[in-house]
Structure formats: C-alpha cells, structure tokens
DNA sequence: CCAGCTATACTTAGCTA
DNA sequence: GTAGCTAAGTATAGCTG
C-alpha cells in the first residue's frame, strides 16, 4: 500500500478521477463545516462535476441562504465608501445574487 | 509543542479564532484548487467573516463566472425532467444566480 | 460501481520571533 | 498584527470485499 505523492495534475483515468472527486469533495465539505463551526463564520460552496447529475452545494439550502444573506452587509459598506475596484464590484454583484436567492 | 485534539466548537479567544480562520481558509482554498485541477471540475466558494472587510471568493472573479456558467447545463436538464424536489429547485435558482453574474 | 481499511502524505495548533 | 516552524493530528491513495 504505497501511496504516491500527490501530483497536482488532471487524473486521466476515468474511474480513479471520479473516485478521487468523491473522496475529496467529502473532505472539503467536512472542512467547510469545521471552519464554519470553529470560527463562527458563514461560508458556502458549489461544485459542478460530470460525475453527478446535480451540482453539489454546501451547506444545505437553508444554510446557503443564511450565509449569503450576511454578505449583504459588506457590499453595502463598500458602496458607501464608493469603492470601484474589481473586488468591491464583485461584492456588489454578490448582493444581487443574494436578493435573487432570497426571493424563494 | 503539544497540540490539543481539535474540539469541534467555537473558538472563544478572539485572536486565536482569527488566526485559525486565516489558516484554514488558506487550506480550504488550496484544496479547492487541487480538486479542480485533479478532477477537471468546476467549483467555487464564498466565505464571510468579521475579520475581513470583504467576502473571500474562490476562484478569481473570472474563474468564478466560468464555473457558474457550467451550472447552467445541469439545471436545464433537471427542468426538462420536470423534477420538483427541493434539490432540483435549488439547481434552478442557481441558474438565475448565474444569469445575474453573467450580466456584468 | 460503492464502502471500508490503513499506511503515508498532508494539514495545522501552538509556539517563536 | 504577520510569518515561519514542527510535531500532532487528519485526510486520503491505493487497495480489498
């Protein structure tokens, strides 16, 4: 059972790649959950893969919304400061995204 | 240098919590990058914390859009199948999110 | 194909400067 | 506050059922 060093490159073998994806996705989800708990922060992630019929979303739909709703606060502050750099712009777009989600 | 076992609970000490957040956020970002490279998938994450003035977004704005644009494919398929469970509903909302982002 | 195992690779808590 | 170290602890590659 010799584990190769991770080579940071696309896994060409189909089944290996899929298996790898499933394992790492699980690990990633767990880590997000941990970070969220340990530091009391909001976070969310979306992953798309050809191996699954649906995008993978963390956290649950409810949590997803709760997290996103918090983002509203930040962009509003940025806006008041009248920042126009790319990053604040992205933040502002995120607000719009939040609004859309909250309409459900 | 005795490292305590991770207790999965909110870190009450302010500076410890912030330091922890920064470290784990970095690790999470790296893992997302790895998964994306290794498996050729699209993924994105957003993290909000009181320790930073802006939400943390992975990957870059450009990559973020590229990833989200891929989601369009899946929800459209779900829609055709006329699925109405919560998960497919979420997928459909994601489409809307994508549309919003792509207007930039 | 998926779940479980376990040795090894990687991550990171606590510390130092 | 930030950056870097290193051992304790965790994740996971390759394998097995």
């Amino acid at each position: 059972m010799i584990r190769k060093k991770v080579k940071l490159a696309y896994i060409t073998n189909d089944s290996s790649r899929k298996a790898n994806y499933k394992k790492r996705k699980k690990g990633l989800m767990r880590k997000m959950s941990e970070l969220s708990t340990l530091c009391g922060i909001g976070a969310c992630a979306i992953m798309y893969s050809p191996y699954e019929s649906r995008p993978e979303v963390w956290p649950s739909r409810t949590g997803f919304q709760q997290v996103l709703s918090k983002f509203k606060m930040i962009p509003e502050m940025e806006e008041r400061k009248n920042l126009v750099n790319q990053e604040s712009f992205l933040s502002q777009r995120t607000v719009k995204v939040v609004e859309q989600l909250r309409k459900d």
Side-chain angles (χ1 to χ4, degrees), chain A:
Chain A
M1 194 185 289
I2 300 164
R3 183 182 176 182
K4 279 186 289 187
K5 254 194 155 180
V6 162
K7 56 163 190 168
L8 200 57
Y10 183 71
I11 298 166
T12 49
N13 181 282
D14 280 349
S15 50
S16 297
R17 189 171 61 257
K18 180 175 180 177
N20 188 282
Y21 169 69
K22 283 199 61 179
K23 285 192 173 186
R24 280 173 172 264
K25 172 166 64 66
K26 188 181 172 186
L28 205 55
M29 298 292 189
R30 182 169 48 245
K31 282 220 168 284
M32 292 207 76
S33 160
E34 285 177 10
L35 180 56
S36 185
T37 303
L38 289 169
C39 306
I41 64 143
C44 66
I46 314 177
M47 299 168 63
Y48 161 79
S49 84
Y51 322 119
E52 294 167 314
S53 59
R54 260 190 286 279
E56 195 75 28
V57 181
W58 189 95
S60 65
R61 171 176 176 64
T62 309
F64 192 73
Q65 276 185 282
Q66 287 171 351
V67 168
L68 288 179
S69 68
K70 290 183 185 173
F71 285 113
K72 291 183 65 179
M73 313 308 283
I74 303 303
E76 278 164 7
M77 284 162 56
E78 296 293 324
E79 215 156 21
R80 281 187 203 106
K81 279 189 276 178
N82 219 24
L83 293 176
V84 288
N85 61 61
Q86 195 183 47
E87 284 163 318
S88 73
F89 183 65
L90 173 53
S91 296
Q92 289 170 41
R93 297 310 306 171
T94 307
V95 178
K96 300 274 172 37
V97 170
V98 173
E99 304 293 2
Q100 284 296 315
L101 281 164
R102 290 172 66 80
K103 279 175 189 163
D104 298 343

